[in-house]
Amino acid sequence: MDPYGGARQHLGSLGALTEQELLRRLKEAGDQAAREELITRYLPLVKSLARRFASRGQPVEDLVQVGAIGLIKAIDRFDLSRGVELSTYATPTILGEIKRYFRDKGWAVKVPRALQDLNVRLTRVLEQLTVDLRRSPTIAEIAEAAELTEEEVVEALESGRAYSSVSIFTGGGEDEESGGLLDTLGAEEEAYEIFEQRRLLAPAMERLEPRERLILHLRFFEGMTQTEVAARVGISQMHVSRLIRKSIDNLRQFMEEETSSHQAGKRGEG
Amino acid sequence: MGNLSETREETGPVRLRTPRSPGCLRVMRVVLGGVASRHDLPVDALDDIDLAVETLLAGEPPAGGHLELTVNVTQGTYRLCLAGLRSQATRKMLAPGSASPQLRNGGPLDVRRILESLVDSFSVEERPGDTFTVCLEKRVPK
């Protein structure tokens, strides 16, 4: 006796259903087989979008896997009442997931190993100088301390912009800056709650890590400099810089997804 | 690039005209960094300027036409202008009076709010055709 016969038969029968019918089954009855069928139908779209990034140095199979996560999110979040095609909603979500993968992967563009090493070294020099001088150093001061030319420092700092920090909250035992973070966050809880209550950026802000929200708040709503934010949160200025970029990128991505979904909704209504 | 440390005096503006492409930001950053180095701008202030330029370019179409960056430091103020911008969304957000101060206090983290936080002042100059220029000013801390 085939214990999966019934399920296979069910899946087979779903093949004849339209996308809207499948979505309705999923949303109204929680039919997981309908969800599987939608994922299967949309995998070619994921593969096609993943191939766009084939030249970026990551295996396409990995990008398909990441894109599939975006697809699943899109299916789960999809709102039938908007009257749009799933493909319209899923495309930016899949692309967003793939882009996020590149960002979280670290060096987003190919940077020579020597420059990567130099950037790591400069980060330490910059941190030390910030402590010693009690202010952010100039390029000349960094160059002198690191025994480099100013041009080398400028180039290394520029290449550092190609780097996105891996999330500190997902392990990363090598991250020497993560110590004491939770304590710092606890102390900031009150200010942060006020920030949340004001709903300045909800719901986009909900996508960010608590520390990223805090950093954006301190930098853009409290008017602190990057160096001041770094001291307050207990990480380096360069790390603050990376987190600000990553957070703004995430917010922008969210807004793009929302905008395309909203525009598609309007077209669907029209 | 020459030896920047030998030219630490007020000079005329530096201009960069580049085809609009995803790679042009990297070239701009090198120019911004070079000028910052020559005028002893702290690296956190340089990073603010970099981020302001990135923010302006983020809304731009990825190709077509040229962008022109002009950077000058006079009387302790780092001034840069980015010409050839075409994003209507950015233009709208930066338009004078686009939001009242009260609304700004609780407003969103948009291009205007980001620029207001990163630089001391900014202005938008309309250009013939469909482009516009944004100029940013940041005082060099002493």
Side-chain angles (χ1 to χ4, degrees), chain B residues 61-132:
Chain B
H66 286 76
L67 290 163
E68 189 169 307
L69 176 74
T70 308
V71 194
N72 201 7
V73 182
T74 50
Q75 298 175 330
T77 298
Y78 191 109
R79 178 181 165 87
L80 77 87
C81 291
L82 191 54
L85 297 170
R86 294 209 309 245
S87 165
Q88 294 311 305
T90 302
R91 188 199 297 243
K92 197 174 166 188
M93 274 186 266
L94 297 181
S98 63
S100 72
Q102 288 81 4
L103 280 176
R104 298 297 317 154
N105 288 336
L109 185 56
D110 57 15
V111 177
R112 173 177 280 270
R113 158 94 49 192
I114 290 173
L115 293 191
E116 282 172 350
S117 303
L118 296 175
V119 296
D120 292 302
S121 66
F122 67 86
S123 59
V124 180
E125 296 169 8
E126 297 295 334
R127 295 287 176 207
D130 61 349
T131 68
F132 62 102

Side-chain angles (χ1 to χ4, degrees), chain B:
Chain B
M1 209 187 301
N3 188 341
L4 297 173
S5 57
E6 291 171 2
T7 55
R8 211 173 297 283
E9 76 273 1
E10 285 203 357
T11 55
V14 175
R15 286 201 180 86
L16 170 73
R17 183 174 156 83
T18 169
R20 184 191 300 265
S21 72
C24 71
L25 177 61
R26 297 194 66 189
V27 185
M28 286 186 187
R29 284 203 207 106
V30 172
V31 171
L32 294 169
V35 175
S37 170
R38 217 158 52 170
H39 295 279
D40 288 336
L41 193 74
V43 289
D44 64 349
L46 168 63
D47 199 74
D48 285 345
I49 289 166
D50 278 345
L51 184 56
V53 171
E54 286 169 37
T55 302
L56 288 171
L57 292 181
E60 286 293 303
H66 286 76
L67 290 163
E68 189 169 307
L69 176 74
T70 308
V71 194
N72 201 7
V73 182
T74 50
Q75 298 175 330
T77 298
Y78 191 109
R79 178 181 165 87
L80 77 87
C81 291
L82 191 54
L85 297 170
R86 294 209 309 245
S87 165
Q88 294 311 305
T90 302
R91 188 199 297 243
K92 197 174 166 188
M93 274 186 266
L94 297 181
S98 63
S100 72
Q102 288 81 4
L103 280 176
R104 298 297 317 154
N105 288 336
L109 185 56
D110 57 15
V111 177
R112 173 177 280 270
R113 158 94 49 192
I114 290 173
L115 293 191
E116 282 172 350
S117 303
L118 296 175
V119 296
D120 292 302
S121 66
F122 67 86
S123 59
V124 180
E125 296 169 8
E126 297 295 334
R127 295 287 176 207
D130 61 349
T131 68
F132 62 102
T133 299
V134 175
C135 292
L136 313 172
E137 286 191 349
K138 192 168 182 77
R139 281 189 296 279
V140 180
K142 288 181 181 171

Side-chain angles (χ1 to χ4, degrees), chain A residues 126 136-139 142 150-151 154 158 161 198 200-201 216 219-221 226-227 237 241 244-245 252, chain B residues 2-5 8 26 29 33 37 40 42-44 47-48 50-51 54 58 105-107 109 113 117-118:
Chain A
L126 203 157
S136 179
T138 65
I139 287 168
I142 298 171
E150 292 179 37
E151 292 85 345
V154 169
E158 195 288 319
R161 299 280 184 272
R198 286 162 68 190
L200 291 174
L201 290 167
L216 289 187
R219 181 67 191 93
F220 295 106
F221 293 89
Q226 278 192 17
T227 305
Q237 176 260 316
S241 164
I244 286 175
R245 281 177 168 78
R252 194 176 291 131
Chain B
N3 188 341
L4 297 173
S5 57
R8 211 173 297 283
R26 297 194 66 189
R29 284 203 207 106
S37 170
D40 288 336
V43 289
D44 64 349
D47 199 74
D48 285 345
D50 278 345
L51 184 56
E54 286 169 37
N105 288 336
L109 185 56
R113 158 94 49 192
S117 303
L118 296 175

Side-chain angles (χ1 to χ4, degrees), chain A residues 65-139:
Chain A
Q65 298 257 337
V66 172
I69 294 169
L71 170 63
I72 292 167
K73 283 183 183 173
I75 291 171
D76 290 346
R77 288 180 194 158
F78 188 74
D79 182 356
L80 267 171
S81 67
R82 292 202 181 195
V84 296
E85 298 290 321
L86 177 59
S87 60
T88 310
Y89 181 70
T91 300
T93 312
I94 295 165
L95 285 173
E97 203 64 34
I98 294 173
K99 287 178 187 171
R100 231 185 319 276
Y101 172 77
F102 275 104
R103 209 162 44 232
D104 291 348
K105 195 74 186 168
W107 295 91
V109 297
K110 205 167 184 179
V111 174
R113 184 76 218 176
L115 260 185
Q116 292 185 30
D117 292 343
L118 182 56
N119 193 270
V120 171
R121 192 175 139 213
L122 282 188
T123 302
R124 295 182 205 286
V125 170
L126 203 157
E127 281 176 46
Q128 189 58 50
L129 281 175
T130 304
V131 172
D132 294 346
L133 302 170
R134 295 184 184 181
R135 60 168 171 78
S136 179
T138 65
I139 287 168

